[in-house]
Amino acid sequence: MPSRTTLAFLSGVGTTLAGAGGVFALYRHFAGQQRAAASDLNSKLPVHSAWWRARVDKKGALLYVALGDSAAQGIGASNPARSYVGRLSAAIRHATHSSLRMVNLSVSGSTTWLCRKDQVPKLADYEPDIVTVAIGANDIIDFTAESFEKNIRAIYSALPSHAIVADLPAMWLPDRERKVAEANAIVRRVAGELGLIVAPLYDTTRRQGLVRTFRNSAGDLFHPNDRGYRVWASAFEPAVTARLTQLAADRT
């Protein structure tokens, strides 16, 4: 007959295995939900894109052009109008009591290379009063500083001097944070050389803390939700307000 010590040991092993099995089952459930959320957001890519295209030809006293990736498209928001670009558009209309034409050149999934290749040439067709650029998050997985700087420099060099560029948001995972820090150093240095204003997206999102970042994220835990996009917009708002003040002074 097994001793009490042996039985206690076997009981402990069984409890540990049961606990591990429970954790694994919980992980599988959570991962399944995350994949389902990502699939749902992917299905909305053409919907958001069509929403922005429908507004390209609307007349406005001011012109706002946005470049970027799926965040500029507003993926994760309940409606594109609640994205950071949508919120900034509404804030511009409210502050100026004027009409606004919104041209969103962003493309979901865009990297700095794709932005340079596809979005920047289209910018030449416009003379925008306000320009925002938030690009680079999709470069982080396969990040190389040399390629990133080459693309960022090409993008920023094509922008008007009043353009507002954002650094990359906080990503929290240590390996990604290391790459983000390197990318953001490049963003700030190149923007400084060209005289562009940098919207402090990293500091703004980092201040939210890990728990609030989780609450501010869509179900895929990558894109912001409505609350998260409100935070993103707040990173741009001081620079946008300063630009509107400058425009008002130039027109008096």
Side-chain angles (χ1 to χ4, degrees):
M1 179 179 294
S3 67
R4 289 183 179 180
T5 301
T6 302
L7 290 172
F9 173 76
L10 293 173
S11 176
V13 170
T15 301
T16 300
L17 290 174
V23 170
F24 181 68
L26 182 62
Y27 169 78
R28 287 186 62 186
H29 175 72
F30 180 77
Q33 286 187 321
Q34 188 177 8
R35 285 194 298 270
S39 177
D40 179 60
L41 291 181
N42 284 337
S43 71
K44 294 177 180 176
L45 296 180
V47 176
H48 282 240
S49 181
W51 193 90
W52 291 113
R53 286 199 307 272
R55 283 151 179 78
V56 167
D57 295 326
K58 290 191 175 182
K59 302 296 183 182
L62 294 173
L63 172 60
Y64 169 24
V65 176
L67 288 78
D69 49 32
S70 55
Q73 285 282 301
I75 301 302
S78 60
N79 184 288
R82 294 180 178 175
S83 66
Y84 81 87
V85 174
R87 291 179 183 278
L88 291 175
S89 298
I92 292 167
R93 292 188 189 95
H94 178 76
T96 60
H97 304 287
S98 180
S99 58
L100 179 71
R101 182 187 179 194
M102 178 66 240
V103 176
N104 193 338
L105 298 177
S106 67
V107 178
S108 292
S110 186
T111 59
T112 53
W113 183 79
L114 287 171
C115 179
R116 171 187 176 184
K117 175 177 175 286
D118 298 329
Q119 298 177 45
V120 168
K122 296 176 183 176
L123 180 63
D125 295 334
Y126 303 98
E127 294 183 7
D129 299 291
I130 302 105
V131 177
T132 62
V133 182
I135 193 71
N138 292 321
D139 292 62
I140 291 302
I141 296 298
D142 298 316
F143 180 79
T144 59
E146 183 179 359
S147 296
F148 185 83
E149 179 166 350
K150 181 179 179 180
N151 293 327
I152 282 292
R153 189 172 293 278
I155 294 167
Y156 290 3
S157 296
L159 300 175
S161 60
H162 59 75
I164 303 162
V165 300
D167 56 12
L168 276 62
M171 294 189 183
W172 297 98
L173 297 176
D175 180 60
R176 293 191 182 186
E177 281 288 280
R178 178 185 60 78
K179 295 175 183 178
V180 166
E182 193 172 357
N184 282 343
I186 293 170
V187 165
R188 297 185 193 107
R189 174 165 50 79
V190 175
E193 291 173 9
L194 297 172
L196 302 174
I197 298 172
V198 178
L201 186 57
Y202 180 84
D203 287 345
T204 304
T205 53
R206 185 75 182 180
R207 281 196 300 268
Q208 296 299 301
L210 185 57
V211 173
R212 274 194 293 178
T213 296
F214 178 78
R215 292 174 179 168
N216 291 346
S217 298
D220 65 347
L221 299 182
F222 182 74
H223 293 92
N225 57 20
D226 288 356
R227 290 188 300 271
Y229 279 123
R230 188 180 298 116
V231 173
W232 276 52
S234 72
F236 285 91
E237 282 167 358
V240 170
T241 298
R243 174 58 183 161
L244 294 177
T245 300
Q246 180 186 18
L247 285 170
D250 290 345
R251 292 175 180 178
T252 56

